[in-house]
Amino acid sequence: MFEDDIQTIMFSADEIAAKVKEIGENITCDYKLMTEDIFCVGILKGAVMFYTDLVRQIKTNVKFDFMVASSYGSGTKSSGAVKILKDLDYDVAGKHMILIEDIVDTGITMEYLLKYCRGRGAKSVKICSLLNKPSRRVADITIDYVGFTVPDEFLVGYGLDYDGNYRNLPYIGVLKPDI
Ligand code: IMP
Ligand code: MG
């Protein structure tokens, strides 16, 4: 049973749902007076669960877009080079964007995507991440909307993977060290 690979549950499905609702309310509050659409950009694949739950808690017009980014580097050490594997579908020049991510770790991916979206002429770009792991931060970025701050442990579930697995767990847990 794959759930046997989980050492502890850090955030239950209910805790995640409550936090996602709260973030959605904050975003609604900040953007509701805006007449323009918000371009919500999910960073695949990790953000997929968070994205689909979050957008349903945002009570104003949003447009869906997605990006896939990969950071080069071996193992857990990132070289700092980020490559966009799937680009935006929309022309975001003059648009308000929110980048929706599962976890900000070193921050290298988000720093790159932030610069990239600004380079595409977006009017504003905010970052929304369910999890924040500040202990390993390298890039100096501001996360505008954050769910939970987490310790330096390897987390899986609710979109987060280890070697492509565990994304479908409904909660976020710590993987057993021997896995
Ligand atoms: P960074 O902020 O550029 O270092 O990269 C963030 C990405 O690293 C996230 O989108 C995840 O794909 C991955 N990542 C970082 N920490 C974890 C973790 O604890 N579990 C699973 N993936 C992680
Ligand atoms: Mg990710």
Side-chain angles (χ1 to χ4, degrees):
M1 179 62 180
F2 83 133
E3 290 195 64
D4 292 341
D5 297 347
I6 305 304
Q7 185 172 296
T8 47
I9 295 177
M10 193 167 278
F11 305 110
S12 70
D14 286 348
E15 286 171 312
I16 296 168
K19 186 58 80 175
V20 172
K21 188 166 185 284
E22 191 185 307
I23 299 170
E25 282 165 2
N26 289 338
I27 293 174
T28 303
C29 185
D30 291 350
Y31 286 86
K32 66 172 180 253
L33 297 178
M34 216 171 259
T35 50
E36 301 117 302
D37 293 322
I38 316 170
F39 286 71
C40 286
V41 179
I43 312 305
L44 299 177
K45 308 180 176 84
V48 70
M49 304 291 189
F50 179 44
Y51 186 94
T52 58
D53 286 342
L54 179 65
V55 288
R56 281 178 282 186
Q57 300 296 336
I58 300 175
K59 313 292 182 193
T60 183
N61 281 331
V62 302
K63 284 203 161 68
F64 282 25
D65 212 340
F66 299 95
M67 293 180 94
V68 179
S70 84
S71 53
Y72 284 123
S74 55
T76 53
K77 285 247 166 63
S78 175
S79 66
V82 179
K83 193 182 176 196
I84 292 174
L85 304 177
K86 189 234 165 278
D87 203 344
L88 298 163
D89 290 335
Y90 283 109
D91 174 6
V92 294
K95 308 297 184 190
H96 295 287
M97 303 177 72
I98 304 176
L99 304 181
I100 297 172
E101 177 63 301
D102 50 357
I103 182 166
V104 177
D105 184 19
T106 64
I108 290 169
T109 308
M110 273 295 121
E111 182 183 50
Y112 182 86
L113 295 180
L114 190 62
K115 273 192 197 137
Y116 178 79
C117 293
R118 286 181 178 147
R120 292 277 301 260
K123 193 189 277 180
S124 73
V125 190
K126 286 195 183 182
I127 295 175
C128 174
S129 183
L130 179 63
L131 304 177
N132 181 22
K133 202 189 266 184
S135 51
R136 287 174 29 102
R137 194 63 38 82
V138 172
D140 181 24
I141 56 159
T142 302
I143 309 174
D144 301 280
Y145 303 99
V146 60
F148 304 104
T149 297
V150 297
D152 187 12
E153 285 185 280
F154 199 81
L155 305 173
V156 294
Y158 196 68
L160 295 156
D161 74 305
Y162 174 68
D163 202 18
N165 291 323
Y166 311 103
R167 292 192 196 275
N168 56 325
L169 288 172
Y171 52 81
I172 294 169
V174 181
L175 202 60
K176 282 185 181 159
D178 54 309
I179 303 295

